[in-house]
Amino acid sequence: QVQLVESGGDLVQPGGSLRLSCAASGSIFRVNDMGWYRQAPGKQRELVATITDDGITNYADSVKARFTIARDNAKNTVYLQMNSLQPEDTAVYYCNAEILPYFPRIRYNYWGQGTQVTVSS
């Protein structure tokens, strides 16, 4: 059974930084694209950043130059370094990954349970 577990969410003041982590575990044959999404109260879930298995990244315009996504393929872990946080970054952040389990050998799209990031003074 495959699962994604996030950590790192917290309350931070405007201008502060946080680092989110998400580790995939279970019977994993291969992890393809990984990414972070967020959902603020009353809004739809939106893409924050994605990274391919060979390190190609993509960011939402709203976080470019402030957030950095990275991954450690040996640990099946993706990170999101968030700098210069603003109140509008407040949301539940969800990890996402396309994973090929050993069995059945079919690609699935997995989601983590979410971690709360609150930016407030």
Side-chain angles (χ1 to χ4, degrees), residues 34-100:
M34 304 185 82
W36 290 94
Y37 292 73
R38 66 186 181 186
Q39 188 166 18
K43 295 187 177 181
Q44 290 188 335
R45 190 173 297 189
E46 64 177 4
L47 179 146
V48 176
T50 61
I51 184 167
T52 66
D53 56 354
D54 54 359
I56 297 173
T57 59
N58 178 55
Y59 295 92
D61 288 343
S62 60
V63 307
K64 281 181 181 177
R66 299 189 299 125
F67 291 8
T68 303
I69 190 170
R71 64 189 286 171
D72 184 333
N73 290 335
K75 297 180 179 179
N76 289 332
T77 299
V78 63
Y79 306 96
L80 186 68
Q81 177 67 41
M82 304 185 292
N83 298 328
S84 301
L85 283 161
Q86 300 300 318
E88 53 265 34
D89 295 315
T90 295
V92 177
Y93 284 70
Y94 295 92
C95 175
N96 174 265
E98 184 183 88
I99 294 174
L100 191 64

Side-chain angles (χ1 to χ4, degrees), residues 23-43:
S25 63
S27 182
I28 297 172
F29 178 75
R30 180 180 177 83
V31 180
N32 296 325
D33 293 359
M34 304 185 82
W36 290 94
Y37 292 73
R38 66 186 181 186
Q39 188 166 18
K43 295 187 177 181

